[in-house]
Amino acid sequence: MMELDEAQAFRIRRNLQDAGCDSATVAQFLRLEQTHCRREQYRLLSCQKAALLQNLHGIQYKIDCLDHLVYIMRQQDEQQQQRASNKQHTLG
């Protein structure tokens, strides 16, 4: 089996950390790299991706809630302006 050199290990470690992996996951991935367990590496990466997507969907829901509130507020503002405009025409 071929050993990872320090530069390769650094690049893998950095990439995984940038992807949000914790130190335990990084260490496990590097152990799997040493033993050439690609299937398990793919599984780890898939789990990390699923966790990130779940987080993303949660954030997207929060953004959607804010967008909905802005939409409702704008509708109310338009209705208020329309009522005020109608009153002016009725009085004028």
Side-chain angles (χ1 to χ4, degrees):
M1 276 182 232
M2 197 169 124
E3 286 282 318
L4 272 181
D5 68 34
E6 205 46 47
Q8 291 170 317
F10 174 81
R11 285 191 298 273
I12 292 170
R13 192 177 298 111
R14 178 67 185 261
N15 187 281
L16 293 171
Q17 289 169 343
D18 288 350
C21 294
D22 60 21
S23 58
T25 302
V26 172
Q28 184 177 4
F29 187 91
L30 290 172
R31 279 192 304 273
L32 292 168
E33 180 68 21
Q34 293 296 333
T35 58
H36 302 286
C37 293
R38 280 285 194 236
R39 185 173 293 178
E40 281 301 304
Q41 286 179 305
Y42 285 126
R43 188 190 65 75
L44 275 179
L45 296 177
S46 180
C47 288
Q48 179 65 16
K49 182 178 178 178
L52 291 172
L53 283 171
Q54 185 175 12
N55 189 32
L56 176 67
H57 292 150
I59 291 170
Q60 182 63 52
Y61 174 76
K62 292 174 185 178
I63 291 169
D64 290 345
C65 289
L66 293 174
D67 286 345
H68 179 71
L69 183 57
V70 168
Y71 173 78
I72 296 298
M73 291 168 61
R74 286 191 175 144
Q75 275 190 323
Q76 291 171 344
D77 291 345
E78 286 176 15
Q79 289 171 356
Q80 238 177 3
Q81 287 175 351
Q82 194 172 31
R83 282 194 295 269
S85 177
N86 287 344
K87 277 187 183 179
Q88 283 182 343
H89 287 341
T90 304
L91 294 175

